[in-house]
Amino acid sequence: MNGECLVAGVGAGELLFADVGLSFMGGVHSETGLVIDTHHPLHGSSVSGKILAIPSGRGSCAGSLAIFELIMNGHAPRALIFYHKETILTLGVVIAREFFQKSIPVVCLSAEDFASLAEARYAVVYNGVVDISFSAPSVAVDEGDLTSLNLEDFELTEMDGRFLDGEFGDAGRVAMRTIIRTAQIEGANSLVDVDMAHIDGCFYHGPGVLQFAKRLLELGGRVRVPSSMNALCVDRRQWKGLGVNPSLGAPSDELADAYRAMGVKPTYTCAPYLLDGAPAFGQRIAWAESNAVVFANSVLGARTMKFPDYLDILVAMTGRAPNADCYLADKRLATLRIDVPRPDVLDDSFWPALGYHVGKIATNDIPVLAGLEGLPVSHDDLKAFGAAFATTSAVAMFHIVGATPEAGTVDQATGGLSSVRRHRVTVEALTETWHELNNAPSADVDLVSLGNPHFSLTECERLAALCAGRKKADKAEMIVTCGRDVFEKARKAGFVDAISKFGGRFLNDTCWCLIAEPVIAPDVRHIMTNSGKYAHYGPAAVGRGFHFGSLERCVDAACNGVAETALPGWLSASAIS
């Protein structure tokens, strides 16, 4: 089978096949290659040393960071096979190739050829060609030409050429090579200017992450556009007092300091849209962090690719990005219409549950949701929807008719295309998703987890109101994560004091997908959250049972030590119009 060669080379071995996309970040163990995503059909299998065939990645922008770590520690697949465009995982391979001369082959097949792999036991991948067999092949691994870059049909500006010639140092030269290579993977033949960047690859995920940052510093890396920093693995001001092992805390600090030395602002938040100076409608930016990407594109109307980790810092160093994906007007149009039954009874758990469900339907399509026109929806609701959507989908934006700026009507969101496919959501399907997000074996709640993505000021205000005049149960903890900027505003407004009197506490700098023991106490068995994103990643990340529900239910659970397990009102057939 002849496919598109995304990364050259030769690899052979046992074939591991799935027809569901896989997020390497949070879905594959970074030290062993074991699939830990409890929602994935490959759960319990190892990708290490296999020919891995999946439709695409999904979820986190940090998939590039995760596959890079596996390549560096020798536990990566021997080759990757996709049938959708997959920039995030491919970029992780390109980074290992450009910076450390380590690589694996990557190929994209047609949907028909990809489907034919389902029954094969072994495969050989070489320079865009895939051979399958039912007996183990004997082929030497070949990483291919690690230096070639074809610029024949690529439009370079004078500044691009100066970067390639090394006028701005070795870091700028390698950054530009990698950006051009990514543009070619995206099918673009030119670059565009960007005004700001958000850097996601700043959290410690293993020695390779630190190696990469140090290598950039050694090469003279420095950002040229204003750049913010994503959440880390630890609260920098509290980790020692919380008993976090220095083997995690120290390299986390060192990694953050490396990015600070490159000029990245130490914002330490996964919700950069909550910072002062958020991007404007139509502004071209370069953001990583999946929830931030979909919020910027969908809610703010800014323009950004779903940037893989590591490409984000390289674009920040050059101010240039591939002229592809959501930078282009036609790539922002919806390709799938989803009709949603309108609930007459509503709470805030509706939006993340719906986002998670829609992401499973629109895995590689930009959706437009119809049927919810006139329903009250806040930025906090759209934040929760987008984070959960970006967990199960691989795309960079969504539209909701009447709620997002490029979807006044279905026709506006689709560009009037008549070929857009259509899907209808049912109450029964949403109920299945609700149960998928609620996997705890008992109603007990030991910890209430809030702030994934980081809490906004209005969320802090609402939480303070729900906590007023109440006290949490002794057996239950409640922890809120938010950025330093929001925390300071909440403190001045009195919200932090009100939540603290209830018994809740705050963490800054880090976010729930990166938090483990001892911050989550060893005796915690069941966690409740209002985050669809964390209800997905949490079971694999921390090995606990999860309850998902509204913010009000979370506060009640903190008071009672027990979760309300009845379905929410909006899942009642009588509550749907």
Side-chain angles (χ1 to χ4, degrees):
M1 292 171 282
N2 292 297
E4 180 185 359
C5 181
L6 301 181
V7 180
V10 176
E14 183 182 348
L15 186 69
L16 188 64
F17 177 91
D19 59 3
V20 178
L22 175 64
S23 173
F24 268 60
M25 181 61 201
V28 179
H29 196 284
S30 63
E31 295 177 3
T32 64
L34 190 71
V35 178
I36 57 174
D37 182 350
T38 57
H39 306 271
H40 200 275
L42 294 181
H43 178 247
S45 301
S46 175
V47 304
S48 180
K50 307 288 177 53
I51 306 296
L52 178 64
I54 52 175
S56 67
R58 68 175 182 180
S60 178
C61 295
S64 51
L65 178 152
I67 187 70
F68 169 81
E69 193 71 36
L70 288 168
I71 291 172
M72 295 297 287
N73 66 27
H75 289 91
R78 289 185 179 170
L80 293 170
I81 303 174
F82 308 118
Y83 81 82
H84 286 293
K85 180 188 70 177
E86 175 46 50
T87 304
I88 289 177
L89 293 175
T90 306
L91 188 277
V93 178
V94 171
I95 290 289
R97 186 183 184 93
E98 285 287 341
F99 284 83
F100 298 97
Q101 292 72 56
K102 296 185 176 184
S103 187
I104 60 173
V106 184
V107 61
C108 186
L109 294 178
S110 68
E112 182 180 1
D113 283 346
F114 180 87
S116 72
L117 301 176
E119 303 302 323
R121 291 188 60 193
Y122 301 95
V124 180
V125 177
Y126 53 98
N127 299 334
V129 178
V130 178
D131 283 343
I132 59 175
S133 67
F134 292 89
S135 58
S138 178
V139 177
V141 173
D142 180 359
E143 294 177 343
D145 183 356
L146 300 178
T147 60
S148 64
L149 182 66
N150 183 3
L151 298 173
E152 184 177 347
D153 297 316
F154 205 87
E155 298 176 13
L156 294 174
T157 65
E158 179 192 3
M159 183 65 77
D160 297 337
R162 290 167 66 189
F163 271 107
L164 279 178
D165 291 340
E167 186 173 330
F168 300 101
D170 286 340
R173 178 182 56 79
V174 181
M176 183 56 69
R177 281 178 55 90
T178 307
I179 293 165
I180 291 171
R181 186 71 192 92
T182 307
Q184 292 170 333
I185 292 168
E186 285 277 339
N189 66 350
S190 63
L191 308 179
V192 294
D193 292 332
V194 296
D195 298 331
M196 65 171 74
H198 181 67
I199 311 304
D200 184 45
C202 54
F203 62 91
Y204 187 74
H205 198 58
V209 182
L210 196 51
Q211 271 184 278
F212 173 75
K214 287 182 173 180
R215 181 70 175 141
L216 270 185
L217 265 180
E218 290 169 2
L219 294 175
R222 180 84 185 174
V223 301
R224 294 171 66 92
V225 298
S227 302
S228 52
M229 201 181 306
N230 205 58
L232 312 175
C233 291
V234 296
D235 184 324
R236 296 200 70 177
R237 297 178 293 196
Q238 295 194 64
W239 69 261
K240 293 178 182 176
L242 292 169
V244 173
N245 195 312
S247 65
L248 173 63
S252 292
D253 281 350
E254 188 178 1
L255 183 61
D257 288 340
Y259 279 98
R260 290 186 66 181
M262 287 186 270
V264 182
K265 188 177 179 182
T267 49
Y268 308 137
T269 181
C270 56
Y273 42 82
L274 298 177
L275 298 169
D276 294 336
F281 184 89
Q283 186 174 6
R284 287 196 301 251
I285 62 175
W287 277 12
E289 165 56 47
S290 60
N291 96 85
V293 169
V294 297
F295 193 93
N297 278 319
S298 311
V299 182
L300 301 181
R303 271 68 174 144
T304 180
M305 284 175 52
K306 186 176 180 180
F307 272 90
D309 285 16
Y310 298 156
L311 186 62
D312 47 11
I313 185 66
L314 303 183
V315 169
M317 287 164 47
T318 61
R320 302 282 282 165
N323 187 19
D325 199 57
C326 287
Y327 291 125
L328 305 174
D330 64 323
K331 298 297 185 182
R332 300 176 66 82
L333 297 176
T335 52
L336 175 65
R337 171 176 173 162
I338 298 181
D339 295 301
V340 181
R342 180 188 175 90
D344 294 328
V345 177
L346 193 66
D347 66 43
D348 55 84
S349 67
F350 171 75
W351 294 104
L354 179 63
Y356 189 85
H357 184 75
V358 167
K360 293 189 293 181
I361 299 163
T363 53
N364 287 277
D365 282 284
I366 294 176
V368 54
L369 277 62
L372 303 176
E373 294 86 334
L375 202 68
V377 56
S378 67
H379 268 203
D380 291 332
D381 294 327
L382 293 173
K383 175 166 81 81
F385 176 97
F389 169 78
T391 299
T392 49
S393 177
V395 301
M397 68 182 296
F398 61 86
H399 302 282
I400 302 176
V401 176
T404 56
E406 296 169 70
T409 63
V410 169
D411 277 351
Q412 182 190 3
T414 62
L417 294 175
S418 59
S419 59
V420 171
R421 294 180 296 109
R422 195 162 179 171
H423 180 94
R424 181 174 296 278
V425 171
T426 65
V427 175
E428 291 76 18
L430 282 174
T431 302
E432 287 181 16
T433 290
W434 179 268
H435 290 306
E436 185 179 349
L437 294 172
N438 284 274
N439 71 348
S442 81
D444 293 340
V445 173
D446 306 304
L447 169 65
V448 172
S449 149
L450 303 173
N452 189 350
H454 275 171
F455 249 32
S456 68
L457 185 62
T458 48
E459 286 175 304
C460 290
E461 180 180 22
R462 182 158 179 257
L463 178 60
L466 288 169
C467 291
R470 307 172 77 184
K471 282 280 188 181
K472 74 169 186 67
D474 291 339
K475 66 159 285 188
E477 279 240 68
M478 186 176 81
I479 303 176
V480 183
T481 62
C482 67
R484 294 185 184 191
D485 185 71
V486 166
F487 179 79
E488 188 56 29
K489 292 176 181 177
R491 187 190 63 78
K492 289 180 179 178
F495 305 147
V496 171
D497 184 58
I499 293 164
S500 298
K501 286 179 179 176
F502 172 81
R505 59 192 178 97
F506 283 81
L507 292 174
N508 301 146
D509 304 350
T510 188
C511 196
W512 283 104
C513 287
L514 305 173
I515 295 173
E517 295 184 14
V519 178
I520 296 175
D523 60 353
V524 166
R525 291 291 173 263
H526 305 101
I527 297 174
M528 182 155 192
T529 183
N530 67 338
S531 166
K533 178 177 181 177
Y534 192 46
H536 172 89
Y537 285 122
V542 297
R544 269 68 167 186
F546 270 73
H547 297 285
F548 165 77
S550 67
L551 184 61
E552 183 174 358
R553 283 193 177 189
C554 286
V555 174
D556 289 345
C559 290
N560 305 325
V562 176
E564 171 60 71
T565 57
L567 292 175
W570 53 265
L571 275 177
S572 165
S574 62
I576 299 292
S577 59

